[in-house]
Amino acid sequence: MNKIISLDEHIIQSQRNLPYATGELSSLLRDIGLASKIVSREVNKAGLVDIAGRADTENTSGDDVQKLDMLANDLLISCLKNSGECCGIASEEEDTFKPIKTHKQSKYIVLFDPLDGSSNIDVNVSIGTIFAIYRRQSYDSQCTIDDFLQKGVKQAAAGYVLYGSSTMLVYTTGRGVNGFTLDPSIGEFCLSHPNIKIPQKSNIYSVNQANYKKYPSGAQAYIDHCMNSDYTQRYIGSMVADVHRTLIKGGIFFYPATKSKPKGKLRLLYECNPLAMLVEGAGGKASDGKNRILDILPTELHQRTPVFLGSPDMVDEAEAFIRESLSVYS
Ligand code: P6P
C-alpha cells in the first residue's frame, strides 16, 4: 500500500526544503486546510439541512440556516483570525479588507472567494473556495489597502478547494502544484495528484457560448475557430470546477469582456490571480487576452478582468485571434 501523504505532512516537508522558511506560511496553509474541511462538511450536508430545515428557518440543530457562502465566509475568517499568522483578510463577501490584530507582527494577508459558484449549490453542481496569500508590504501596526493591491506575481501561495464528487484541495507556493483529496473516513486531505502538469494542448474549450454576440470580435473569431476545429465544449459555470478540469485534462477556459461587463465578470484578486498562479505553476498560461494576469497592477479590491487560461498553446492561439482582430480595426 502506498504511503499516505497528508496535506499537513506535505506542507511541513515542503517547508523543510526551504532553509529560510520559518513555519508561518505552513501554519497558515494548514489553517486554510482545516477551514476547508469544515466548509466541505457543511456543503455536503446542504441538501439534507435544506430538507430537514425546510419547514422553518432553523435547521435541525436549532441554528439559523445561513446561506452557505456567508457560512463559508465566516468560517474562513474565524480560522484565519485564530491562526495568528494572518494580519488581514479580504473576501468576495466583504466590501473592504479586514485588519486582524495578532499578538505578533504577522506577515501574511489572505484574499479569498469563500464559495465561488454558490448559485450551483441548489442543483448539486461542484463549487469551490479560492485563496491567495501575500506577504504584507506595510510596516504600520495594521495592514493597509496597499497590502492587498499587489500584483499576482507577488503571491506567496495560492490554491482552491473543489467541493465536487470528492473534496479536493490544490495549492502551490511557487514550487509545483499538488492536489489532495479529502478522505472523510480519516478527516485528512491526502496527496492524490502530485506535481500537476497541464497538457501543452487539448481539444476542450470552455466558455459561456450564450454570450457569443456580446464578446469582442477577437473572442468571437477564436470561438469560431474552436467550433470549426475538432474541439469539444465543456462549461460547468463554476470557475473552480472548469479550471480544475482544465488543469487535469488541458484545454482553455475563458471569460472575455462583454458589452455589459467591459472589464469582464471574474474578479482579479481572489479568482483570476490565484488560479493563474496555479495554472502557470502547472506549465500553463493565463492572460486577459493581451497581458499576463499575474502582471496586472490592481487598483481596487473587487476589480474584474477578462481571463483566458489553460494549455499554453491554446492561450497563445486565442491571443493571436485577438491581436489579429485588433490589427484589422486599428
Ligand atoms: P456565467 C459563478 O457565478 C462565477 O462567478 C464563476 O464561478 C463562473 O465561472 C462564472 O461566474 C459563470 O458566469 O455568466 O457564465 O453564468
Side-chain angles (χ1 to χ4, degrees):
M1 179 176 154
N2 294 335
K3 177 175 175 351
I4 293 176
I5 299 176
S6 71
L7 174 64
D8 286 9
E9 283 175 275
H10 188 271
I11 291 170
I12 290 165
Q13 187 52 48
S14 304
Q15 178 193 316
R16 283 200 195 110
N17 297 337
L18 297 173
Y20 55 85
T22 54
E24 285 138 314
L25 180 60
S26 300
S27 171
L28 195 48
L29 285 166
R30 290 206 301 274
D31 290 318
I32 291 173
L34 171 63
S36 308
K37 288 184 210 173
I38 302 169
V39 173
S40 175
R41 180 193 66 198
E42 295 307 314
V43 165
N44 288 324
K45 71 180 183 183
L48 294 174
V49 165
D50 182 41
I51 292 165
R54 190 170 289 161
D56 307 304
T57 56
E58 289 188 343
N59 62 20
T60 49
S61 50
D63 304 326
D64 287 336
V65 178
Q66 270 186 296
K67 275 174 64 71
L68 261 180
D69 40 12
M70 286 314 295
L71 181 63
N73 186 60
D74 295 347
L75 278 169
L76 275 158
I77 292 174
S78 169
C79 278
L80 290 168
K81 273 184 175 171
N82 296 333
S83 80
E85 305 301 352
C86 172
C87 66
I89 65 105
S91 166
E92 195 262 351
E93 298 289 346
E94 306 287 337
D95 289 342
T96 184
F97 72 94
K98 284 175 171 285
I100 295 175
K101 287 199 180 319
T102 54
H103 63 285
K104 62 173 184 173
Q105 281 291 345
S106 307
K107 60 183 172 186
Y108 293 106
I109 55 117
V110 182
L111 298 102
F112 56 83
D113 185 349
L115 212 53
D116 178 71
S118 50
S119 57
N120 290 314
I121 293 172
D122 300 346
V123 292
N124 208 16
V125 167
S126 300
I127 50 181
T129 296
I130 313 169
F131 62 89
I133 302 175
Y134 290 84
R135 289 174 192 79
R136 69 180 294 189
Q137 300 301 304
S138 62
Y139 296 96
D140 316 349
S141 59
Q142 67 178 36
C143 60
T144 68
I145 183 62
D146 293 335
D147 289 319
F148 295 87
L149 299 181
Q150 298 183 58
K151 288 183 180 181
V153 71
K154 293 282 192 184
Q155 289 172 114
Y160 60 78
V161 185
L162 176 61
Y163 310 102
S165 50
S166 64
T167 295
M168 275 198 71
L169 185 147
V170 178
Y171 87 100
T172 183
T173 58
R175 291 163 197 83
V177 177
N178 291 283
F180 300 79
T181 300
L182 182 63
D183 179 340
S185 68
I186 57 172
E188 287 288 356
F189 280 109
C190 303
L191 183 63
S192 54
H193 296 68
N195 195 27
I196 296 173
K197 291 294 178 197
I198 191 170
Q200 190 71 17
K201 184 169 171 44
S202 173
N203 68 340
I204 304 171
Y205 75 102
S206 183
V207 66
N208 186 336
Q209 196 100 5
N211 295 331
Y212 176 87
K213 291 185 175 169
K214 302 171 191 166
Y215 294 146
S217 57
Q220 289 178 340
Y222 180 61
I223 292 172
D224 294 342
H225 165 73
C226 294
M227 291 169 73
N228 296 325
S229 306
D230 61 345
Y231 290 1
T232 188
Q233 206 261 1
R234 291 285 183 273
Y235 191 74
I236 301 169
S238 189
M239 188 179 191
V240 173
D242 279 317
V243 172
H244 182 70
R245 183 203 55 248
T246 303
L247 261 185
I248 303 299
K249 292 184 174 240
I252 182 169
F253 168 84
F254 53 116
Y255 204 112
T258 60
K259 293 189 174 77
S260 58
K261 293 190 172 70
K263 293 276 188 191
K265 172 180 185 182
L266 301 174
R267 309 287 186 172
L268 173 62
L269 290 181
Y270 42 78
E271 289 177 333
C272 297
N273 268 340
L275 295 176
M277 181 178 186
L278 289 159
V279 167
E280 286 199 5
K285 287 188 82 170
S287 83
D288 63 4
K290 301 186 205 72
N291 309 299
R292 184 184 180 216
I293 289 285
L294 296 180
D295 286 338
I296 297 173
L297 180 62
T299 52
E300 53 186 79
L301 213 45
H302 299 290
Q303 75 183 67
R304 303 172 192 266
T305 179
V307 61
F308 297 74
L309 61 79
S311 296
D313 290 4
M314 299 180 81
V315 175
D316 287 344
E317 208 177 40
E319 290 178 349
F321 278 93
I322 291 167
R323 271 195 307 276
E324 174 64 25
S325 73
L326 292 174
S327 61
V328 163
Y329 293 109
S330 57

